[in-house]
């Protein structure tokens, strides 16, 4: 009975076991089980033990297998991690060299390395830094491998790293010190659509350098990640094939290219698939190719190669990719293997499934050629949300050509600054009165705009025009309004380069934040277009049992005031307007005083795509203009996003007005926390905490302010955070490599300095990110700070900037800590990092926040879970995209027609 519960309901079984034995016992048993599972895929804990164990093997036909040793560990987050992995690789190369077998480089053991292990920011946008810091490490390793004449292979990782990997590889290939060596190797993934072209280039490179590379062809291990990243990043298409037969066929096409160029490529075919193995052999036979090898992973493919060796005497060498290391570094690798073995498309999975007939297991990919390029259930990124709502288009900053294009747009924008900016009332840019010069947070001396602020007279004029225009706008209907919103979305996408340049200067947005911002605005527009169409169409007929006909319709309330903050100067500005306009309201829009120009451009674009000029008016200015707008006697609603303090002021102003009681939609600040438990994946906590707390210079309502970490892992976590802070780059946000731009103004800077000073005396400032003196002197760049507090009482309100507070907690005190956080009265966002559902549930129940991000991801790769602090895949996170949001902009009207006889619902009237 116990066995059947354990098998059929493992969750229940473990819960009851944990209840009886206690968590520590279960934890150590699980660790033990992991170790056993790990041994299946890991050859040894140390390189020496792995070499010894491997050499003890007798493989097929009595032939000793060859090895490529891989030191477990990837994805360094700090320079300390990277240096530790670097040393491990050097030690491994030394050990393999010492035990080198005799013979040519192709017939001896080698090593495989992962470039993500060698640098904490191995990213295409950080190319200069990578070449300066990572390259010397990989060169040192390659020199050591060359000295002993062993194989040295650069593993393939995520596809956006391919170009960087190739650049590093080409540099190594052209190093004079590495000449006359056949061990330099690289891995190519056949699931990538570029694979064949990359191989052509490698052949060219080999011939150009007069050398032969070891090239391992794999299908690719990050498929799920590639699919999700492409969808999230709004790419035009996937970089990888979406059907398994397409990958299988591409593998064979690549194999042909490799086997046809034996002078430039020593081909290594890594597969556990019987059909692939046989097809490669066929191609080799057809081309008369000799001197190539097969490879398999340790723990996989033994039966296949044993069987192949029995059938083919001339099978040749089979090399085993042998991971080495301890269980601490095992998880990402292990999860990839488990995913691979568990995937129903996998050969190994089908092979082990007795229910799958042999002919299906070894099916030829050519049979499936009809449906090659498109998987029917995997929408391409632009179609992610179905036919009604195209996904917003992303911009791939990793591409050099894109970087250059954006640099040109920046130059063009900068060259014409400052720009005139003014109220736009009934389509007219109002002039007259003095102009205020708006300088950039990036550089005080850079004047972005000459702003003529709105006056109370402008407010009155705009109100009258908006009031007069509203009935016609409302009568236009949801479908026509939707069409305009969609046109606006398309216009934003067309103008994206200029909008990015503008936001870089006006609000100090980094390019990647700017891209997310434009996409969010586009998503809002398309989202509300669907809402307008579906909710503001024809009246809905309701049941009418008593001889009457009832209709329900939604319509605009009238004139809406929309007041927005500077930190999402386009997305929130546009989003508020889009919702209000979709519902049939006309709008008086007031952007934040720090970001009038982007709002000015947005309103002009709205008008350009055909929005009637009296429907939307722009009234830039400071809080006084906001106050004047909310005091207007007859506005029909206010949408506000900004600080809690101002929201309260507006609430009181509206309450004090005579006249009708109108809705106030207020989105305010947050004191956002993330709870981490001991099961959370260290690297992912670091990634998410750094991105959420310091991305956008901490100037997001959803930014992480308090990280709650368990005592057991706190020291390790804090060391990781410090190391990751050390590699953050501050600077001019027009540089794609910059992670953190300036804070919005001198006042914000002063407030943050005072807060950190206070923390230095009342708590402990653990660390600051590096900030160079020149930037520091400008008074707008604030070095991200890590502060340890001993109690939540030490912080009471949102501090809008890059300051992360950490608090250690004891497991037994979780409830107490969570309740204290909830009592702070903020409930914007909440993050949870755990692999335990129970922990996530417990925290979510204790802290009633609006947006909850639970990261249960265990793969070390992004699999459809947004990082904490992201605004949602679509940009329309639950806060504004929620199903009830749009109703607050609408008024509901029912119409009842009572006809003495013959009206009403026939079905309901039929009492008989
Ligand atoms: P099969 O079951 O025939 O193929 C499974 C593969 O097909 C999946 O992994 C995926 O790539 C592809 N696939 C599955 N479904 C789809 C779909 N719907 N659309 C498109 N493609 C699909 N991987 C790396 O990424 N980088 C490396 O450096 C690397 N080194 C390796 C070294 C060795 C020696 C070996 C044996 C493997 C290595 N791998 C590496 C892992 C390798 O990518 C996987 O083991 C391999 O994809 C499994 O292919 P197969 O032919 O054994 O199995
Ligand atoms: P803020 O409250 O200072 O200003 C917001 C807007 O209100 C500006 O346009 C400002 O001019 C206007 N305003 C100021 N005084 C006013 C008054 N008396 N009457 C009417 N309008 C007035 O906020 P900010 O500094 O621009 O933005 C940062 C704040 O916004 C942070 O607290 C952040 O958490 C919050 N925010 C919240 C969300 C969300 O979705 N919840 C999103 C972004 C920003």
């Amino acid at each position: 009975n116990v066995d059947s519960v354990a098998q059929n309901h493992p969750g229940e079984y473990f819960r009851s076991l944990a209840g009886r034995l206690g968590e520590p016992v279960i934890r150590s048993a699980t660790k033990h089980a992991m170790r056993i599972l790990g041994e299946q895929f890991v050859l040894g804990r140390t390189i020496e033990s792995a070499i010894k164990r491997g050499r003890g093997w007798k493989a097929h036909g009595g032939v000793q297998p060859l090895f490529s040793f891989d030191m477990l560990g990837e994805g360094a987050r700090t320079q300390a991690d990277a240096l530790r992995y670097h040393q491990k690789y050097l030690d491994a190369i030394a050990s393999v060299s010492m035990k080198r077998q005799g013979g040519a480089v192709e017939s001896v053991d080698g090593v495989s390395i992962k470039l993500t292990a060698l640098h904490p920011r191995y990213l295409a946008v950080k190319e200069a830094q990578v070449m300066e810091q990572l390259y010397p490490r990989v060169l040192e390793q390659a020199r050591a491998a060359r000295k002993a004449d062993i194989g040295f292979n650069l593993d393939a990782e995520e596809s956006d790293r391919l170009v960087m990997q190739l650049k590093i590889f080409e540099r190594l290939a052209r190093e004079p010190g590495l000449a006359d060596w056949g061990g330099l190797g690289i891995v190519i993934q056949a699931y990538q659509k570029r694979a064949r072209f990359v191989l052509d280039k490698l052949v060219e490179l080999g011939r150009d350098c007069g050398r032969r590379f070891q090239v391992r062809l794999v299908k690719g291990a990050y498929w799920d990640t590639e699919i999700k990243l492409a969808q999230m990043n709004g790419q035009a298409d996937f970089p990888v094939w979406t059907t398994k037969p397409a990958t299988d066929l591409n593998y064979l096409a690549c194999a042909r290219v490799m086997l046809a160029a034996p002078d430039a490529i020593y081909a290594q075919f890594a597969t556990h698939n019987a059909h692939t193995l046989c097809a490669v052999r066929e191609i080799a036979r057809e081309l008369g190719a000799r001197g190539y090898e097969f490879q398999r992973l340790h723990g996989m493919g033994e039966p296949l190669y044993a069987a192949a060796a029995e059938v083919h005497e001339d099978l040749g060498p089979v090399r085993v990719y042998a991971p080495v290391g301890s269980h601490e570094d095992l998880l990402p690798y292990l999860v990839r293997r488990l995913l691979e073995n568990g995937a129903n498309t996998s050969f190994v999975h089908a092979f082990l499934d007795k229910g799958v007939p042999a002919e299906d297991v070894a099916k030829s990919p050519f049979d499936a050629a009809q449906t090659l390029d498109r998987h029917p259930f995997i929408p391409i990124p632009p179609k992610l949300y179905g036919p009604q709502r195209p996904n917003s288009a992303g911009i791939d900053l990793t591409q050099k050509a894109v970087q250059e294009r954006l640099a040109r747009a920046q130059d063009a924008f900068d060259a014409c600054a400052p720009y005139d900016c003014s109220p736009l009332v009934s389509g007219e840019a109002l002039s007259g009165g003095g102009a205020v010069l708006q300088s950039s947070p990036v550089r005080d001396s850079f004047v972005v705009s000459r702003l003529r602020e709105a006056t109370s007279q402008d407010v009155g004029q705009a109100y009258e025009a908006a009031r007069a225009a509203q009935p016609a706008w409302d009568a236009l209907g949801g479908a026509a309004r939707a069409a305009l919103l969609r046109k606006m979305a398309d216009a934003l996408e067309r103008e994206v380069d200029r909008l990015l340049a503008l936001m870089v200067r006006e609000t100090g947005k980094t390019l990647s934040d700017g891209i997310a911002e434009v996409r969010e605005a586009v998503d809002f527009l398309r989202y509300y277009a669907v809402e307008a169409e579906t909710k503001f169409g024809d009246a809905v007929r309701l049941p009418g049992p008593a001889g009457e006909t009832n209709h329900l319709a939604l319509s605009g309330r009238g004139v809406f005031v929309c007041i927005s903050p500077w930190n999402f100067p386009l997305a929130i500005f546009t989003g508020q307007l889009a919702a209000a306009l979709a519902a049939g309201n006309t709008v008086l829009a007031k952007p934040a005083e720090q970001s009038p120009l982007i709002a000015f451009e947005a309103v002009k674009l709205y008008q350009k795509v055909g929005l009637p000029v009296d429907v939307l008016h722009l009234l830039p200015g400071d809080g006084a203009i906001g106050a004047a707008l909310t005091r207007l006697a007859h506005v029909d609603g206010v949408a506000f996003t900004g600080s809690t303090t101002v929201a309260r002021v507006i609430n009181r102003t509206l309450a004090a007005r005579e006249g009708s009681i109108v809705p106030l939609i207020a989105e305010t600040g947050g004191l956002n926390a993330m709870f981490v438990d001991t099961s959370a994946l260290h690297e992912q906590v670091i990634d998410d905490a750094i991105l959420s707390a310091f991305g956008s210079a901490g100037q997001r309502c959803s930014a992480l302010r308090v990280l709650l970490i368990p005592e057991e892992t706190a020291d390790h976590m804090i060391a990781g955070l410090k190391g990751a802070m050390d590699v953050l780059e501050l600077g001019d946000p027009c540089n794609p490599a910059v992670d953190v731009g300036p804070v919005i103004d001198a006042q914000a800077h002063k407030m943050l300095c005072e807060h950190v000073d206070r923390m230095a005396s009342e708590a402990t400032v653990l660390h600051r990110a590096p900030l160079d003196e020149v930037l520091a002197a400008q008074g707008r760049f604030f070095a991200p700070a890590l502060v340890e507090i001993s109690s939540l009482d030490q912080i009471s309100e949102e501090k809008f900037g890059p300051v992360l507070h950490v608090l250690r907690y004891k497991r037994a005190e979780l409830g107490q800590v969570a309740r204290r956080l909830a009592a702070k009265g903020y409930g914007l966002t909440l993050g949870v990092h755990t692999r335990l559902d129970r922990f996530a549930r417990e925290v979510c129940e204790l802290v009633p926040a609006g947006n909850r991000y639970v990261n249960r991801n265990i793969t070390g790769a992004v699999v459809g879970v947004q990082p904490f602090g992201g605004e949602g895949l679509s940009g329309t996170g639950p806060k504004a995209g929620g199903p009830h949001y749009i109703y607050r902009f609408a008024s509901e009207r029912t119409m009842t027609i009572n006809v003495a006889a013959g009206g009403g619902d026939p079905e309901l009237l039929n009492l008989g």
Side-chain angles (χ1 to χ4, degrees), residues 563-568 572 590-594 621-624 626-627 630 640-644 646 649-650 667-670 700-701 798 800 828 879:
I563 301 177
S564 49
W566 51 265
N567 69 324
F568 286 101
I572 289 181
K590 194 204 89 63
E593 50 271 45
Q594 296 89 341
D622 61 13
T630 53
F640 168 81
T641 307
S643 61
T644 314
V646 173
V649 172
I650 296 176
E667 308 264 0
T668 59
R700 301 172 84 108
C701 55
E798 179 190 46
F800 212 57
L828 194 62
K879 65 185 169 89

Side-chain angles (χ1 to χ4, degrees), residues 556-596:
R557 286 181 173 274
V559 179
F560 242 85
V561 167
C562 293
I563 301 177
S564 49
W566 51 265
N567 69 324
F568 286 101
L570 182 68
I572 289 181
F573 179 78
T574 314
Q576 288 180 339
L577 300 187
L581 294 172
N585 302 287
T586 50
V587 178
L588 307 178
K590 194 204 89 63
E593 50 271 45
Q594 296 89 341
S595 57

Side-chain angles (χ1 to χ4, degrees), residues 156 189 219-221 241-244 247 271-273 340 346-347:
Q189 296 158 321
K219 286 179 190 163
W241 304 104
T242 51
T243 65
K244 168 86 165 54
T247 296
T271 180
H272 310 118
N273 182 320
E340 185 176 330
S346 139
F347 175 84

